[in-house]
């Protein structure tokens, strides 16, 4: 049995300890914490997963996102962030089935980038992404109309985060924009500003703001937040004309929980701790951190960190635990004391994976993710633009 290094994650009076039946007034609206994970699956399922995967052989290629639980990662052929995994899938044309252990938008991206003969499967169709769901195609089309009425659409370039639906990626491609990841967001914004005066950044306001202000020297006053639930996004024509960054009001339900108080608390408890956070965190958290980086960057920094160093990580808890277990020579803790996993990512569990693999091995196609041809065409344009970034 795998041992788990303690991460100093303790219940607090404001924690959501009742599996989502309470709320934390300090967190962003819509940010919830489902509590701890259930116990690992029945060991018999491990053998069934191995047997089904062996039956499929080279016909199946399993992708595991970094935020997946260990019992799923064990069966992944490759692990990584969403875009890396989609590219890995495209690089394996001999695999008939691509089983994506992640969330829905990731499987869509894999379907867009893989060949016609490959079939992308999501073990649980309920594995969505709260951030991606915060921007619908209808809402974004209405936003573009608002920009047109304000006379700024023609000078606005859309930049959409990888964590968005195929519909939003398609909108971006239709309007001459690009996709970005958390690691190349600055390059994407620099490209966009070389083509227009403004950027519409979808759907994560924090990544857009942090990249523009922290990395590119913009001011907070250069940023305006478009709220799709308010008339005209809650902005006046003057505000839209003055803004350089028009940020969609979206956020990550995990990274949005970290607070300035979390940073101050961990510094008080662990002298000399290095605070390393994901750029999806709030601006005040990023400003107070020692280091900021994408998931892949966080992993690399921990791999290269000196023995004996102490780190507080502001990212998803499954990944933090995995890093703590793989680096016993370092003190690695979760930035927040509240236990909080990505609830949608954790819908992909071993029972769902076993069912998927056994179904495929028996010749039954299940839970295929398929993007329609028109949406795929324009989404691929936006993705290809990202690949062409300098």
């Amino acid at each position: 049995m795998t041992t788990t290094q303690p991460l100093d994650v303790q219940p607090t009076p404001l924690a959501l300890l009742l599996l989502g039946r309470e709320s934390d007034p300090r967190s962003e609206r819509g940010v919830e914490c489902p509590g701890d994970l259930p116990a690992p699956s029945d060991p018999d399922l491990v053998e069934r997963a191995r047997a089904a995967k062996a039956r499929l052989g080279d016909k199946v290629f399993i992708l595991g996102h970094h935020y997946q639980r260990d019992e799923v990662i064990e069966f992944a052929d490759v692990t990584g962030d969403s875009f890396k995994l989609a590219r890995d899938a495209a690089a394996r044309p001999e695999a008939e089935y691509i089983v994506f252990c992640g969330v829905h938008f990731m499987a869509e991206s894999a379907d867009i980038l893989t060949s016609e003969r490959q079939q992308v499967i999501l073990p649980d169709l309920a594995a969505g992404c709260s951030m991606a769901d915060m921007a619908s195609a209808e809402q974004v089309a209405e936003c573009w109309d608002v920009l047109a009425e304000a006379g700024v659409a023609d000078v606005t370039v859309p930049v959409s985060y990888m964590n968005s639906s195929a519909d939003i990626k398609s909108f971006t491609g239709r309007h001459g924009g690009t996709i970005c990841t958390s690691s190349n967001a600055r390059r994407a914004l620099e490209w966009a500003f070389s083509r227009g005066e403004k950027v519409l950044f979808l759907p994560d306001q924090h990544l857009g703001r942090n990249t523009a202000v922290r990395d590119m020297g913009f001011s907070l006053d250069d940023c305006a937040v478009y709220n799709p639930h308010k008339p005209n996004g809650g902005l006046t024509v003057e505000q839209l004309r003055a803004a350089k960054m028009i940020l969609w009001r979206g956020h990550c339900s995990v990274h949005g929980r970290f607070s300035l108080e979390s940073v101050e608390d961990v510094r008080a408890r662990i002298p000399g701790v290095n605070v390393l956070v994901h750029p999806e965190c709030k601006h005040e958290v990023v400003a107070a951190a020692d280091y900021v980086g994408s998931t892949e960057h966080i992993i690399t920094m921990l791999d290269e960190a000196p023995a004996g160093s102490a780190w507080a990580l502001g990212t998803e808890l499954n990944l933090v635990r995995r890093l703590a277990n793989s680096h016993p020579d370092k003190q690695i803790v979760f930035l927040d004391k509240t236990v909080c996993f990505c609830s949608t990512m954790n819908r992909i569990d071993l029972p769902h994976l076993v069912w998927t693999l056994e179904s495929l091995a028996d010749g039954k196609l299940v839970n295929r993710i398929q993007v329609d041809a028109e949406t795929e065409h324009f989404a691929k344009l936006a993705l290809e633009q990202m690949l062409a970034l300098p």
Side-chain angles (χ1 to χ4, degrees):
M1 179 177 293
T2 302
T3 58
T4 302
Q5 180 174 330
L7 292 177
D8 197 22
V9 180
Q10 302 294 330
T12 68
L14 293 175
L16 307 185
L17 300 177
L18 300 178
L19 300 180
R21 288 176 289 174
E22 298 292 337
S23 61
D24 185 343
R26 295 179 304 180
S27 65
E28 288 192 74
R29 184 174 180 81
V31 175
E32 297 179 353
C33 182
D36 210 338
L37 287 175
S41 300
D42 189 320
D44 290 343
L45 288 175
V46 174
E47 293 306 317
R48 287 173 59 184
R50 288 174 180 164
K53 187 177 181 184
R55 286 171 61 194
L56 288 161
D58 291 339
K59 291 176 65 176
V60 70
F61 191 52
I62 303 177
L63 310 175
H65 191 272
H66 287 306
Y67 297 168
Q68 289 290 310
R69 61 182 82 189
D70 288 345
E71 65 177 27
V72 171
I73 288 294
E74 178 181 348
F75 293 97
D77 294 303
V78 294
T79 59
D81 62 16
S82 57
F83 185 63
K84 175 183 181 295
L85 293 176
R87 294 187 72 180
D88 286 343
R92 291 291 294 264
E94 71 278 9
E96 181 179 349
Y97 303 120
I98 305 295
V99 177
F100 209 124
C101 297
V103 294
H104 196 273
F105 78 80
M106 300 178 187
E108 286 183 328
S109 296
D111 183 60
I112 291 166
L113 292 173
T114 51
S115 68
E116 288 293 324
R117 65 170 294 274
Q118 292 178 292
Q119 300 174 91
V120 178
I121 292 98
L122 185 66
D124 186 350
L125 293 179
C129 171
S130 58
M131 180 199 296
D133 291 343
M134 290 176 189
S136 70
E138 294 77 13
Q139 290 173 328
V140 176
E142 181 179 346
C143 171
W144 198 254
D145 288 341
V146 170
L147 299 185
E149 290 173 6
V152 299
D154 289 345
V155 295
T156 301
V157 178
V159 175
S160 293
Y161 191 21
M162 190 72 182
N163 298 30
S164 59
S165 68
D167 286 336
I168 301 308
K169 291 183 176 72
S170 182
F171 164 88
T172 305
R174 285 177 185 273
H175 293 280
T178 187
I179 308 302
C180 75
T181 67
S182 54
S183 58
N184 70 3
R186 177 173 181 169
R187 294 201 303 278
L189 288 183
E190 288 172 343
W191 172 86
F193 279 112
S194 74
R195 298 172 62 85
E197 299 173 11
K198 303 175 185 293
V199 164
L200 171 62
F201 194 90
L202 300 151
D204 180 23
Q205 61 169 308
H206 299 309
L207 177 61
R209 182 183 295 106
N210 289 329
T211 305
V213 175
R214 179 181 181 274
D215 299 337
M216 298 176 64
F218 286 77
S219 72
L220 290 174
D221 291 337
D222 291 323
C223 304
V225 178
Y226 182 96
N227 185 342
H229 303 292
K230 292 184 177 181
N232 297 318
L235 299 171
T236 64
V237 170
E238 291 73 21
Q239 287 174 313
L240 287 170
R241 290 175 177 172
K244 294 180 180 177
M245 287 288 293
I246 301 169
L247 305 169
W248 192 264
R249 190 176 183 273
H251 59 268
C252 170
S253 58
V254 171
H255 292 109
R257 287 189 55 81
F258 299 113
S259 65
L260 183 58
E261 183 180 346
S262 301
V263 178
E264 294 169 345
D265 176 74
V266 79
R267 291 198 192 282
R269 288 186 290 112
I270 307 176
V273 68
N274 297 281
V275 178
L276 170 57
V277 303
H278 195 281
E280 290 176 15
C281 293
K282 300 173 188 175
H283 181 68
E284 60 265 28
V285 174
V286 166
D290 299 301
Y291 306 99
V292 182
S294 66
T295 301
E296 295 289 349
H297 182 72
I298 289 172
I299 294 170
T300 299
M301 285 202 71
L302 267 295
D303 288 344
E304 298 175 351
S309 57
W311 296 82
L313 305 185
T315 191
E316 207 275 339
L317 186 48
N318 269 319
L319 174 60
V320 178
R321 284 187 168 176
R322 193 171 299 123
L323 288 170
N325 286 333
S326 62
H327 296 285
D329 59 329
K330 301 154 194 171
Q331 183 181 4
I332 299 174
V333 302
F334 190 55
L335 180 57
D336 194 355
K337 282 192 171 184
T338 301
V339 176
C340 194
F341 296 85
C342 178
S343 57
T344 51
M345 188 74 73
N346 278 288
R347 288 183 180 275
I348 308 297
D349 55 13
L350 196 50
H352 281 91
L353 180 59
V354 168
W355 170 75
T356 299
L357 295 178
E358 289 182 339
S359 296
L360 295 176
D362 291 338
K364 181 182 179 183
L365 181 63
V366 295
N367 288 12
R368 183 180 181 186
I369 302 299
Q370 193 168 19
V371 179
D372 69 87
E374 183 178 0
T375 300
E376 178 178 312
H377 171 74
F378 288 103
K380 196 168 187 176
L381 288 179
L383 287 166
E384 289 173 343
Q385 177 54 62
M386 180 178 72
L387 294 175
L389 288 174

